[in-house]
Amino acid sequence: MKVYVVYMGSLPSQPDYTPMSNHINILQEVTGERSYKRSFNGFSARLTESERERVAEMEGVVSVFPSKNYKLQTTASWDFMGMKEGKNTKPNLAVESDTIIGVIDSGIWPESESFSDKGFGPPPKKWKGVCSGGKNFTCNNKLIGARDYTSEGTRDLQGHGTHTASTAAGNAVVDTSFFGIGNGTARGGVPASRVAAYKVCTMTGCSDDNVLSAFDDAIADGVDFISVSLGGDNPSLYEEDTIAIGAFHAMAKGILTVHSAGNSGPNPSTVVSVAPWVLSVAATTTNRRLLTKVVLGNGKTLVGKSVNAFDLKGKKYPLVYGDYLKESLVKGKILVSRYSTRSEVAVASITTDNRDFASISSRPLSVLSQDDFDSLVSYINSTRSPQGSVLKTEAIFNQSSPKVASFSSRGPNTIAVDILKPDISAPGVEILAAYSPLSSPSDDRSDERHVKYSIMSGTSMACPHVAGVAAYIKTFHPEWSPSVIQSAIMTTAWRMNATGTEATSTEFAYGAGHVDPVAALNPGLVYELDKTDHIAFLCGLNYTSKTLKLISGEVVTCSGKTLQRNLNYPSMSAKLSGSNSSFTVTFKRTVTNLGTTNSTYKSKIVLNHGSKLNVKVSPSVLSMKSVKEKQSFTVTVSGSNLDPELPSSANLIWSDGTHNVRSPIVVYSDSY
């Protein structure tokens, strides 16, 4: 027997409908494990294959799919993004303290200073949630809610959920660091906001029946945003993707879901967050890197990566090179090995790999680039008594532009091929934030250190940055809908240039670009979407009326099919058949004026990556007389001989002299 999620769509609006009675009818011959009945309709149950087939045929059942296990996708970053304290960025604290961020993750460490309620008033009146964190778990006026779906209690045993929650909404806590590394003030994007923690993950993963329950509760509890830093290994069809299903219902209730893109990069088609009603986030570097130097006996210094909190005080030790050496040969020496060989008796280790981020090590370690490692080996082989030392990690700030991390999952989108994913990128490399003292800060189980703040990398870390930005925007514009906030974030993003010649360095890596929180407060024009638009989009994917009715909670008739590429999305993308033939593709869009009255926007096209597209915008000028006025336009893209291995792209920029509303345009071959 397996656990299956039996999904039955939205709760019907009629007052006499009770979800449980309907579940019981279906469950008369099977054993139910959990019902979802607050914001949508369904249950999970242990079923044999024959029972699964029987339930799938029953009236009212949208889909029956196996309950999968999701993975957790694992602060100078806020200053880097331009959110320094100042009059131009100061939020409305009264509104911010009324904002609630729901974090679906591995739980939370309630005693962390990041979640202290000093100076906080009572929870917002709209809050309808509970504090069921389990034994010895107390909420407060900052951490206002806790729910557990794992039978472990909501206390975070892994550190991941504490880290993501504090990144989004943690208090400003001065003088935090990881053993002195990255010292400074750790804070979230909206420090005055409230947090509700929904624990769906254990050490073995995050089952999607837990995830669907958490969405169900978070929506009914009254959260304003949902941050989800977890996902599967591969993208799922929408009807089998519990994050997409839960986020659809959240969107219908005015709640924006922010989701991590995944950590399966740089391979193409690995992005797992693929629904257009979800804001999907890739991970980038910041202007701070954590570097661990290796000083050789000849005075030469090599710079490696690791988060090494151990200090050898500059003392030099003999260097010994080899793979899988006997312990007696490395005792009291620094082990140099091409493989990440761990030694209990070596003073330190030096290895190599091509990762572009530093991880916490349980013993003194530096990870060198291949060239520097080869240089080190050459020094050892040519020196009679080679010596060296591994220094403690130091934080180095530079002026380099953000780059998408190698691990960050890439597009194209395999479920809706004409919707560009990921949407946006944000800091996700070497992020310092709150942590659970019960969890080892490194991957080494023998590491007995306990910390309140730790350094992690992943799209899991990028996601709460954007959730915090979204909440920050809402403090200035409480009336903005999820789609308006998403559009504002995407169209004001920093432009990112390709960092290589491969498709994984293009918009398939970073979407619209890098989030710019302050610019997003004043986007000028926005692309609006609502539930009706998304239903028309699903009609275009050939969803049946029965499925649509149950998902939306209302009678839906697909009046024609809306092409994916004509969804009023802030980016434009099209997958085209054949790379050798000529093509013409059109995108239809409507913008809403949130800038000033009597403003004139002129269109401009900027080609990227050496692409040879011909792009025409009609009309090419939009004259907005009033605020909230809507105007439509068409973008026609033509060309020939698409590169089968690289997308062709351009940017459409609408400018009135003050606002620059930018949308990426991406066309790619089906042979990609």
Side-chain angles (χ1 to χ4, degrees):
M1 275 194 174
K2 290 182 181 177
V3 175
Y4 288 88
V5 174
V6 182
Y7 175 56
M8 300 167 67
S10 286
L11 293 175
S13 54
Q14 62 261 39
D16 58 342
Y17 179 87
T18 56
M20 281 307 295
S21 62
N22 205 28
H23 297 179
I24 291 166
N25 291 339
I26 291 178
L27 282 169
Q28 280 179 339
E29 296 181 47
V30 298
T31 304
E33 295 205 332
R34 174 179 292 139
S35 276
Y36 320 120
K37 55 186 184 295
R38 299 185 72 204
S39 302
F40 40 82
N41 196 3
F43 58 88
S44 64
R46 285 188 187 279
L47 306 174
T48 63
E49 181 58 26
S50 62
E51 287 171 339
R52 185 199 70 79
E53 291 172 358
R54 196 160 76 250
V55 170
E57 294 300 317
M58 290 180 177
E59 182 66 29
V61 174
V62 175
S63 56
V64 181
F65 51 91
S67 177
K68 301 185 295 293
N69 233 13
Y70 287 131
K71 294 178 180 176
L72 295 166
Q73 298 172 332
T74 312
T75 292
S77 53
W78 290 109
D79 286 353
F80 172 67
M81 292 191 293
M83 283 178 66
K84 297 180 180 178
E85 290 299 325
K87 61 181 180 181
N88 293 331
T89 61
K90 217 159 195 176
N92 181 333
L93 291 180
V95 178
E96 185 173 318
S97 68
D98 217 29
T99 303
I100 306 166
I101 299 182
V103 182
I104 299 177
D105 211 296
S106 67
I108 199 164
W109 189 259
E111 292 84 9
S112 172
E113 274 188 85
S114 291
F115 311 117
S116 161
D117 68 350
K118 185 178 180 181
F120 281 80
K125 291 179 181 176
K126 65 186 176 185
W127 176 243
K128 299 180 180 66
V130 297
C131 183
S132 2
K135 194 175 179 183
N136 299 323
F137 188 103
T138 305
C139 296
N140 58 33
N141 286 332
K142 169 71 175 180
L143 173 59
I144 60 173
R147 292 182 185 271
D148 170 48
Y149 307 90
T150 67
S151 303
E152 286 184 349
T154 313
R155 185 172 294 281
D156 185 8
L157 307 181
Q158 298 169 253
H160 191 276
T162 302
H163 201 280
T164 57
S166 67
T167 299
N171 299 326
V173 182
V174 298
D175 200 27
T176 56
S177 69
F178 179 77
F179 295 102
I181 299 169
N183 186 58
T185 298
R187 63 186 172 96
V190 276
S193 66
R194 319 299 177 117
V195 175
Y198 299 84
K199 181 172 176 176
V200 299
C201 302
T202 64
M203 296 297 284
T204 58
C206 327
S207 73
D208 58 5
D209 54 322
N210 288 351
V211 172
L212 205 55
S213 291
F215 267 103
D216 188 25
D217 284 329
I219 294 166
D221 286 347
V223 304
D224 295 293
F225 297 92
I226 295 175
S227 182
V228 192
S229 287
L230 48 100
D233 290 322
N234 301 296
S236 299
L237 296 169
Y238 296 142
E239 66 268 34
E240 296 180 0
D241 182 343
T242 50
I243 293 173
I245 291 168
F248 188 94
H249 292 272
M251 172 271 299
K253 295 288 173 64
I255 302 164
L256 177 62
T257 300
V258 185
H259 184 205
S260 49
N263 290 339
S264 299
N267 295 329
S269 303
T270 49
V271 59
V272 295
S273 179
V274 290
W277 52 86
V278 172
L279 185 49
S280 311
V281 188
T284 59
T285 59
T286 68
N287 61 340
R288 184 187 75 184
R289 302 313 309 267
L290 301 180
L291 303 176
T292 304
K293 294 177 181 176
V294 174
V295 179
L296 305 182
N298 62 4
K300 185 175 182 180
T301 298
L302 305 174
V303 180
K305 293 187 181 74
S306 71
V307 183
N308 172 43
F310 304 96
D311 192 352
L312 300 184
K313 312 287 188 189
K315 182 179 178 182
K316 292 183 173 60
Y317 293 86
L319 298 171
V320 57
Y321 171 60
D323 301 321
Y324 311 111
L325 297 174
K326 292 180 180 178
E327 295 280 78
S328 59
L329 294 176
V330 299
K331 187 174 183 180
K333 301 173 183 176
I334 294 177
L335 171 62
V336 179
S337 171
R338 290 191 184 276
Y339 304 100
S340 189
T341 308
R342 191 171 168 278
S343 170
E344 294 289 344
V345 296
V347 173
S349 298
I350 302 171
T351 187
T352 181
D353 69 28
N354 58 2
R355 289 190 303 181
D356 51 2
F357 64 97
S359 296
I360 292 175
S361 57
S362 60
R363 297 179 63 78
L365 170 73
S366 183
V367 181
L368 301 177
S369 68
Q370 189 62 58
D371 286 348
D372 280 353
F373 187 84
D374 291 343
S375 172
L376 172 61
V377 172
S378 176
Y379 164 71
I380 292 172
N381 291 336
S382 62
T383 306
R384 178 173 292 178
S385 301
Q387 289 190 323
S389 184
V390 175
L391 305 187
K392 184 176 179 179
T393 297
E394 54 186 312
I396 305 295
F397 288 85
N398 55 42
Q399 298 301 316
S400 62
S401 300
K403 294 182 180 179
V404 178
S406 58
F407 57 75
S408 189
S409 289
R410 265 64 168 181
N413 185 339
T414 57
I415 304 300
V417 297
D418 288 354
I419 300 295
L420 180 65
K421 290 286 180 173
D423 293 309
I424 197 76
S425 67
V429 174
E430 301 162 4
I431 304 300
L432 176 72
Y435 201 69
S436 168
L438 292 181
S439 179
S440 165
S442 69
D443 292 333
D444 184 353
R445 290 187 178 179
S446 68
D447 187 351
E448 296 182 350
R449 293 175 296 174
H450 302 283
V451 295
K452 294 179 179 179
Y453 289 83
S454 192
I455 293 166
M456 299 180 76
S457 296
T459 56
S460 283
M461 285 64 249
C463 171
H465 276 98
V466 175
V469 170
Y472 172 72
I473 294 168
K474 189 127 179 147
T475 66
F476 290 86
H477 305 287
E479 74 285 1
W480 280 12
S481 69
S483 71
V484 170
I485 293 172
Q486 178 164 343
S487 178
I489 287 173
M490 291 173 67
T491 63
T492 61
W494 299 341
R495 280 189 64 181
M496 292 184 68
N497 294 320
T499 52
T501 57
E502 300 172 352
T504 53
S505 301
T506 65
E507 289 84 359
F508 289 151
Y510 49 75
H514 189 288
V515 65
D516 184 345
V518 178
L521 298 176
N522 186 16
L525 305 176
V526 292
Y527 296 83
E528 289 194 89
L529 285 165
D530 59 20
K531 184 170 75 167
T532 306
D533 297 307
H534 288 299
I535 288 171
F537 160 79
L538 293 172
C539 287
L541 293 177
N542 296 321
Y543 275 67
T544 65
S545 294
K546 175 188 172 186
T547 302
L548 285 166
K549 176 186 173 184
L550 287 160
I551 290 175
S552 65
E554 57 195 42
V555 176
V556 174
T557 303
C558 286
S559 53
K561 293 178 181 177
T562 302
L563 289 174
Q564 295 175 38
R565 68 187 62 154
N566 287 334
L567 182 70
N568 200 38
Y569 211 60
S571 59
M572 302 172 207
S573 180
K575 180 180 181 179
L576 304 175
S577 58
S579 56
N580 296 324
S581 56
S582 60
F583 64 87
T584 299
V585 59
T586 60
F587 302 94
K588 297 177 181 178
R589 293 292 187 273
T590 300
V591 285
T592 304
N593 180 27
L594 293 184
T596 56
T597 57
N598 298 316
S599 52
T600 300
Y601 285 86
K602 296 178 181 178
S603 63
K604 178 184 175 184
I605 296 294
V606 180
L607 298 180
N608 294 335
H609 318 309
S611 62
K612 298 173 183 176
L613 300 174
N614 182 22
V615 184
K616 290 186 176 170
V617 184
S618 179
S620 60
V621 177
L622 301 176
S623 295
M624 296 289 191
K625 299 287 187 293
S626 60
V627 176
K628 296 191 178 176
E629 180 181 348
K630 295 179 186 289
Q631 289 201 29
S632 299
F633 62 91
T634 300
V635 177
T636 304
V637 182
S638 57
S640 60
N641 300 322
L642 277 177
D643 188 331
E645 297 180 358
L646 198 66
S648 293
S649 68
N651 282 297
L652 164 62
I653 303 169
W654 287 106
S655 179
D656 66 348
T658 302
H659 306 94
N660 291 297
V661 187
R662 185 176 60 84
S663 292
I665 304 168
V666 180
V667 292
Y668 65 105
S669 166
D670 60 0
S671 58
Y672 169 75

